[in-house]
Amino acid sequence: MESMGKKKPRPRRSFTPEFKAEIVELCRRGDRSVGQVAKDFDLTETAVRDWLRQAEVDAAKRDGLTSSEREELAQLRRENRRLREDVEILKRATAFFAKETR
């Protein structure tokens, strides 16, 4: 028997920056509440509020990392991880060849 009250998790979706900007603009107009906009577009209220918060950061109305800074940080973290892996491989290769030359 299925457990009652548990919803199946919603699949993760991605949205274009243009779509997010449109949703933010709808919320800022004040015609509808954040909850109503989220419901109308089948979005979670949390996602819409996050987009509103990020738009405020990007407009320098709130402290935090802008979208471009977040993007750069993610890219730098990926590059850092790759470089650490490269260094680890080189350490192992050095140890292997040092053992071979004895």
Side-chain angles (χ1 to χ4, degrees):
M1 183 162 104
E2 287 186 37
S3 60
M4 305 266 300
K6 286 198 176 188
K7 285 185 175 180
K8 195 173 188 179
R10 175 184 266 198
R12 188 158 187 91
R13 301 180 293 173
S14 61
F15 301 97
T16 64
E18 294 81 14
F19 178 77
K20 291 177 183 181
E22 188 177 323
I23 295 298
V24 167
E25 184 57 37
L26 283 172
C27 292
R28 285 186 177 161
R29 274 194 220 139
D31 300 342
R32 297 181 272 184
S33 69
V34 172
Q36 188 59 48
V37 170
K39 188 183 233 182
D40 291 348
F41 288 89
D42 190 32
L43 302 167
T44 63
E45 215 172 308
T46 304
V48 175
R49 290 188 191 285
D50 286 345
W51 297 347
L52 282 165
R53 191 175 307 110
Q54 188 61 51
E56 289 175 356
V57 169
D58 290 346
K61 294 180 181 177
R62 183 185 277 230
D63 287 339
L65 293 177
T66 64
S67 295
S68 61
E69 290 170 333
R70 284 181 184 277
E71 199 174 297
E72 181 183 12
L73 181 60
Q75 185 269 330
L76 290 171
R77 284 181 175 165
R78 281 191 302 271
E79 184 179 356
N80 194 357
R81 186 179 332 107
R82 186 185 56 78
L83 291 171
R84 286 180 190 273
E85 290 169 357
D86 290 352
V87 166
E88 187 60 35
I89 290 169
L90 290 171
K91 282 181 184 177
R92 290 180 184 171
T94 302
F96 174 77
F97 288 117
K99 196 184 290 184
E100 288 288 315
T101 57
R102 289 184 190 169

